[in-house]
Amino acid sequence: MLVKEEKTILIADDTPENVDILRELLSDYKLVIAINGKIALKIADIEPKIDLILLDIMMPELNGYQACEILKSNSKTRDIPVIFITALTDTESLVKSFELGAVDYITKPFNPSEVKKRVETHLTLRSYHKKLENMNSILEEKVKQRTVELQNVNSELIVAKNKAEEMNKLKSFFIQNISHEFRTPLISILGFSDIIAQEAENIEHVDFSKKIYLAGQRLQKTLNDIIALTELEKQKIEIAIRRINIITTIKNAVDHFINTANSKRLSLKLNCDFEELCYRTDENLLKYILFNIIDNAIKFTDRGYVLVDVAKVEENSAVNLLIKVADTGIGISQENLETIFSSFRQESEGYSRSYEGMGIGLTIAKQLVEILKGTISIKSKLNVGTEVFLKFPIAHSEEEVTNQIKRVKHTFYKEEVSHSSGRTTILMVEDNNNNRLLLKKMLQQHFDVDEAADGISAVAKSEMKNYDIVLMDINLGPGIDGIEVLRRMRNMPKYENVPVIAVTAYANLEERDKFIEYGFDDFVQKPILKADFIALINKFTGNN
């Protein structure tokens, strides 16, 4: 709920009647009135707290366009959101307003409820932006203070440099995962509200759905702005999934710390019974996880050993890679162990004792492991030692995958495999139930849509049926991913030229070329609007 004293709105309008209406409508806020643009500029320059400006265009001495241009060129006022309220309804005026930096455009005569709701929305967004700015300032100040402290200790200068570089990388990874966690529910928010707006018969429900849709769009824009700002602040780190020998990667990680362990007279060993295990993952990301955990084990172990144990385990007919990093270090108390993955916590015992940021590091490590479809857990006893367990799903062997495809195909023989409608046929490969429901709802009015919830089912159905186009999610959970499904489909003569579009919430738009290199015909970033989706499909299928 907005508090009157906390929000100040500047109204610039030369028509007293308009001012009176707005004054009554926005009585919950502190209002400052200007009868023309020139006065509005003076007030905005001296008033310490203006949260929003409602600006008329046609005013004497200085019109709204001129006033807005000056506001946006002044460092003190450029971040204040401006809403034009005007009788001008032509497209040229509307475009010009947004080009000058306005956030909204309301035409007279206006609907009072609409004006109030728009003002509410922009004040809320303004509040969010201020909070982000404050958080950034606080974090920057903490970094500065920590840097000053470290500069007084010559022996810790190298540690400070490494920590600063580490935090930059962690921030990039964290922002990428936050992007995915926001975009996934936004698919449903935007998609279902758009469908309700088109199909609902109740006028009030249509209005509500449009409001939800607009709110979702604003949230999506805010998210995109945060991601863009983060990428500008630092070098962008891309996630690149490819097939590697994971045993070699683990060995290299252990070898990297041999000298460090020797300098502390610690035993660092790798226990592994096999030389090769192929796995699709981001090698750099996996390296960082291993480096972080092994480094922690060595750092907090003064005597004894650090042991990296690698094994394959079967659970519920699934094969997993288990990496255990065990040490005889200081350990973690049970109290701190329960919150070790919490963000921005200052622990007084265990791993974080006398070291800042460890809680953040483990939180980010957990996020990175989950991005790679794995899990992380910790067992520890104070003054005895710690065991960190990393578990990742391993793709089955070629023989196992072939057998699974055969079994799935057998179950599909009972289904109707022919399409008699004459419409474009689509195979939609998506492991999220809500996303499948939404995409099918979007497309089934125009196309025949078949769905597969995992990579094995997708290959089985593509072998049995002929589809005109394939919509392929990339991350499909345990088993084979979307890239592997594409490889197998391209090996089928009937799918050599069938369009396959990558549909994913993880990747950035700049990674489109990478998906094209994999063999996809195009790339779609979730969430996507219904009209855009249909237009893209029609482009590849030749429909009008």
Side-chain angles (χ1 to χ4, degrees), residues 516-531:
I516 299 300
E517 290 177 6
Y518 286 141
F520 290 96
D521 293 275
D522 208 335
F523 155 76
V524 171
Q525 185 183 36
K526 302 174 184 176
I528 184 170
L529 302 183
K530 178 180 178 180

Side-chain angles (χ1 to χ4, degrees), residues 436-492:
R436 284 203 309 277
L437 174 62
L438 172 62
L439 293 176
K440 192 166 186 177
K441 185 70 175 175
M442 282 182 173
L443 303 176
Q444 63 185 2
Q445 183 179 352
H446 306 276
F447 312 102
D448 287 333
V449 182
D450 200 356
E451 55 188 274
D454 56 71
I456 297 294
S457 298
V459 175
K461 287 196 171 187
S462 62
E463 287 184 356
M464 296 174 61
K465 305 180 184 181
N466 297 329
Y467 297 99
D468 298 313
I469 191 168
V470 180
L471 308 177
M472 184 77 70
D473 189 20
I474 301 302
N475 297 288
L476 297 173
I480 61 177
D481 61 16
I483 297 172
E484 177 64 17
V485 174
L486 174 68
R487 185 188 69 81
R488 292 173 179 272
M489 291 183 68
R490 292 303 189 209
N491 286 334
M492 306 177 201

Side-chain angles (χ1 to χ4, degrees), residues 10-77:
L10 170 59
I11 300 175
D13 198 313
D14 64 331
T15 305
E17 292 80 3
N18 292 338
V19 173
D20 290 340
I21 294 173
L22 292 172
R23 195 194 302 271
E24 182 177 352
L25 181 63
L26 304 175
S27 59
D28 289 339
Y29 308 102
K30 178 183 176 181
L31 303 178
V32 182
I33 310 300
I35 60 173
N36 59 49
K38 185 175 292 187
I39 296 176
L41 290 178
K42 291 181 180 178
I43 294 175
D45 192 56
I46 62 174
E47 178 68 32
K49 183 177 177 295
I50 297 289
D51 295 292
L52 183 66
I53 299 175
L54 302 181
L55 192 59
D56 189 17
I57 293 178
M58 306 304 294
M59 293 185 294
E61 296 190 55
L62 192 72
N63 64 40
Y65 290 143
Q66 295 168 323
C68 183
E69 188 172 10
I70 295 173
L71 285 168
K72 294 304 176 182
S73 65
N74 187 337
S75 60
K76 292 174 60 177
T77 59

Side-chain angles (χ1 to χ4, degrees), residues 238-289:
E238 298 181 350
I239 297 178
I241 303 296
R242 64 187 183 89
R243 193 174 184 85
I244 64 169
N245 180 6
I246 198 170
I247 304 303
T248 300
T249 303
I250 297 172
K251 285 182 176 179
N252 290 339
V254 173
D255 290 343
H256 179 83
F257 288 97
I258 289 294
N259 291 336
T260 305
N262 290 341
S263 68
K264 296 188 69 173
R265 297 183 179 178
L266 298 176
S267 171
L268 174 60
K269 292 183 178 180
L270 171 63
N271 182 20
C272 183
D273 294 332
F274 38 91
E275 292 292 326
E276 184 177 39
L277 179 61
C278 291
Y279 177 60
R280 288 189 60 83
T281 188
D282 185 313
E283 185 174 19
N284 291 328
L285 205 60
L286 180 61
K287 277 183 181 178
Y288 182 81
I289 295 170

Side-chain angles (χ1 to χ4, degrees), residues 128-129 132 171 175 178-179 182-183 219-234:
Y128 288 157
H129 283 301
L132 286 173
K171 187 176 178 181
I175 290 296
I178 287 296
S179 172
F182 271 70
R183 291 186 193 281
L219 180 58
Q220 183 182 6
K221 182 183 183 302
T222 301
L223 173 62
N224 290 337
D225 289 344
I226 294 172
I227 300 299
L229 178 62
T230 303
E231 292 176 352
L232 287 173
E233 288 178 344
K234 67 185 68 63

